[in-house]
Amino acid sequence: MTAQGSPGPLSRAAGDGRPAAPVALVHLGLGNFFRAHQAWYTERAPDAAAWGYGAFVGRGTGLADAMTPQDGHYTLITRAADGDRFEVIGSVSRAHAFDDAEAWAGYFASAGVRAVSITVTEAGYRRGPDGGLDRDDAGVRTDVEALRAGSPGGVRSAPGRLVAGLAARRRADAGPVTLVPCDNLPGNGAVAARVVHDLAEAVDPQLAAWIEESVSTVTTMVDRITPRTTPDDARAVEEATGRADQAPVATEPFSEWVLSGEFPAGRPRWEAAGARFTDDILPFEHRKLWLLNGGHSLLAYAGSLRGHATVAEAVSDDTCRSWLEQWWAEASPHVDLPADDVAAYRAALLERFANPRIRHQLDQIATDGSQKLPVRILPALRRERARGHLPDGAVRVLAAWLCTLRGRGAPVTDARADEIVPLADGPLAEAACRVLECLDPDLAGDRELVLAVTATAAELTGP
Ligand code: CS2
């Protein structure tokens, strides 16, 4: 507390006194995950003083409004099962609203900016059924028109914004740059490179050719469970540190970052802060996407149907826990890592999920099932079907999602809700077939699978 007994504000002086680093990194998607993960690794890198972020909110102005009066600072609360640790993070040098197009272009035009990281959710890449850019998406069409007309100010989609920035870099001849997508998609580097290429090609093929030569896109596996901030978090910071923080973020102690690819313009020494660089990232992506994220999706849908609100509540229910173990037993053999490593990861994961002090809401995880299930559940399901197995754990996730779309359990918030919710209506067996078809037409042709999803959905919701 300050001398008057009222909490002091958070500012550069309240951190380690380090002045704001020059902006050498740009981030799109300033939110809690970025602040608990990439910004934290950057803060802990030994060369942090040279690597500040210019970070942009994906939508709206919220966090930029809260962080700017605090000079970009915020408190990271590391919430272990037995207590909290408080750390002031200063790696965000400037926080910007989503529509600050001038600052965005200015950073890209600066040779001092070396890399651009991205957290825009799975849906933010605006992919179509072939995995490339969805050219029929209304937002994509508007952005292509705006960029063709030379007015990037109103561009809103993530691929559109990246192309607008890269066009500014090319005009300024500011040299190579690296894109660092940090969303839960396998091969997120290839995904980001593809949608950026497709959008640039639609605007100006010469720009697309320049991007091909000058932009490196790395692939990353990111992991740290980070729930929404609650008013209690600000109170906890104030009580423990005497500081009034308008934008704290609480996260778990565990953190992992695996990266693969080249940074031709340089990067912070993230490896000295615990990040790992590898040439073979796929097994790490599978381990995390299938076991952690797949487990999360199972609990989000099936746990909500059983009346639970958080991950910790759901895993303390023996039934949910046995469903989780069942899914893990099906997915684990397909993870190409030593069995002992996978077993240790699962054991650690159970503890992480059970951390009662992390209130990770199931409805937050339940969002965008149409984007998440294809990367979290379907790869292992397909591998099991190819072996002639009918994996009950995977079937249960699909069945629970179907029930959710039919109005049971967690509320539906999904990028494809308008299309999918009507498909889930009507007689259960037909609904199961339509919903599976919309995830992957081959699934709807698998009669045994459709019957199993239908029967499990009926069991989950009772008579
Ligand atoms: C979660 C992830 O919301 C979700 O879908 O599964 O945000 C998860 O908490 C993170 O990937 C953990 O690293």
Side-chain angles (χ1 to χ4, degrees):
M1 292 282 164
T2 56
Q4 291 78 24
S6 61
L10 195 63
S11 67
R12 289 268 148 205
D16 61 5
R18 187 177 88 225
V23 172
L25 301 164
V26 168
H27 185 79
L28 176 59
L30 170 58
N32 280 358
F33 183 71
F34 159 71
R35 297 189 306 145
H37 194 274
Q38 298 100 71
W40 177 78
Y41 280 93
T42 305
E43 171 78 20
R44 290 161 53 101
D47 47 357
W51 294 92
Y53 273 103
F56 292 73
V57 183
R59 261 179 253 151
T61 60
L63 267 178
D65 290 344
M67 288 171 67
T68 299
Q70 303 182 172
D71 299 334
H73 271 179
Y74 58 94
T75 309
L76 185 71
I77 309 170
T78 304
R79 187 149 278 168
D82 60 358
D84 287 345
R85 226 167 52 77
F86 300 87
E87 189 182 354
V88 176
I89 306 293
S91 57
V92 177
S93 296
R94 292 285 308 275
H96 297 273
F98 78 114
D99 58 354
D100 193 346
E102 208 176 309
W104 180 258
Y107 288 140
F108 274 80
S110 156
V113 165
R114 314 304 178 93
V116 179
S117 52
I118 309 157
T119 49
V120 292
T121 80
E122 296 86 340
Y125 293 85
R126 313 275 180 131
R127 291 190 299 163
D130 69 350
L133 183 74
D134 184 357
R135 291 189 176 78
D136 296 330
D137 178 286
V140 165
R141 285 213 304 264
T142 313
D143 287 357
V144 169
E145 289 310 316
L147 289 166
R148 278 190 186 145
S151 52
V155 166
R156 291 291 173 263
S157 71
R161 291 166 75 171
L162 292 168
V163 169
L166 293 170
R169 193 164 185 94
R170 178 178 173 229
R171 278 196 300 277
D173 199 16
V177 67
T178 305
L179 301 183
V180 191
C182 297
D183 287 289
N184 288 320
L185 286 167
N188 54 17
V191 168
R194 170 95 189 266
V195 293
V196 165
H197 167 85
D198 289 356
L199 200 139
E201 184 77 27
V203 172
D204 170 4
Q206 285 182 357
L207 173 61
W210 179 86
I211 290 174
E212 197 73 33
E213 274 167 30
S214 314
V215 179
S216 166
T217 307
V218 302
T219 301
T220 70
M221 187 284 277
V222 293
D223 190 7
R224 196 164 204 187
I225 292 173
T226 308
R228 290 185 196 116
T229 301
T230 69
D232 286 345
D233 296 331
R235 274 195 289 276
V237 171
E238 198 174 308
E239 271 165 27
T241 70
R243 293 194 194 107
D245 189 341
Q246 302 308 312
V249 50
T251 192
E252 64 170 341
F254 182 95
S255 185
E256 197 175 16
W257 197 8
V258 185
L259 302 97
S260 181
E262 301 302 318
F263 286 79
R267 58 166 174 81
R269 289 188 50 217
W270 284 319
E271 67 277 31
R276 184 196 306 202
F277 286 80
T278 175
D279 290 333
D280 186 15
I281 197 165
L282 202 63
F284 298 102
E285 298 184 277
H286 288 169
R287 184 192 63 182
K288 196 261 170 169
L289 286 167
W290 299 350
L291 303 181
L292 188 155
N293 297 114
H296 260 173
S297 291
L298 163 69
L299 297 173
Y301 303 121
S304 297
L305 288 172
R306 287 178 60 81
H308 302 302
T310 67
V311 173
E313 267 172 46
V315 285
S316 70
D317 168 347
D318 288 344
T319 302
C320 288
R321 172 97 160 248
S322 69
W323 291 344
L324 183 64
E325 296 280 6
Q326 188 180 32
W327 158 244
W328 283 349
E330 292 161 4
S332 297
H334 304 291
V335 176
D336 194 10
L337 286 171
D340 286 354
D341 290 5
V342 176
Y345 185 80
R346 277 166 56 170
L349 210 44
L350 261 189
E351 265 184 48
R352 294 169 66 193
F353 282 3
N355 182 343
R357 302 187 62 254
I358 294 278
R359 285 194 57 78
H360 200 183
Q361 303 286 340
L362 295 175
D363 65 356
Q364 183 181 354
I365 299 167
T367 57
D368 284 340
S370 69
Q371 313 293 307
K372 293 175 175 175
L373 298 183
V375 297
R376 299 176 176 200
I377 305 297
L378 298 192
L381 170 69
R382 288 195 194 99
R383 285 165 170 82
E384 286 290 285
R385 291 305 283 144
R387 288 174 164 188
H389 296 170
L390 186 63
D392 292 336
V395 164
R396 187 168 292 102
V397 187
L398 298 177
W401 183 52
L402 172 63
C403 298
T404 307
L405 295 173
R406 289 166 71 83
R408 309 287 285 264
V412 179
T413 313
D414 196 296
R416 290 175 72 190
D418 290 351
E419 176 195 350
I420 292 178
V421 171
L423 300 178
D425 209 6
L428 190 55
E430 290 160 35
C433 196
R434 281 192 299 264
V435 166
L436 290 177
E437 181 169 26
C438 139
L439 283 184
D440 172 357
D442 286 350
L443 297 180
D446 181 342
R447 213 177 137 59
E448 215 188 330
L449 176 70
V450 176
L451 285 175
V453 169
T454 307
T456 307
E459 261 169 43
L460 284 168
T461 46

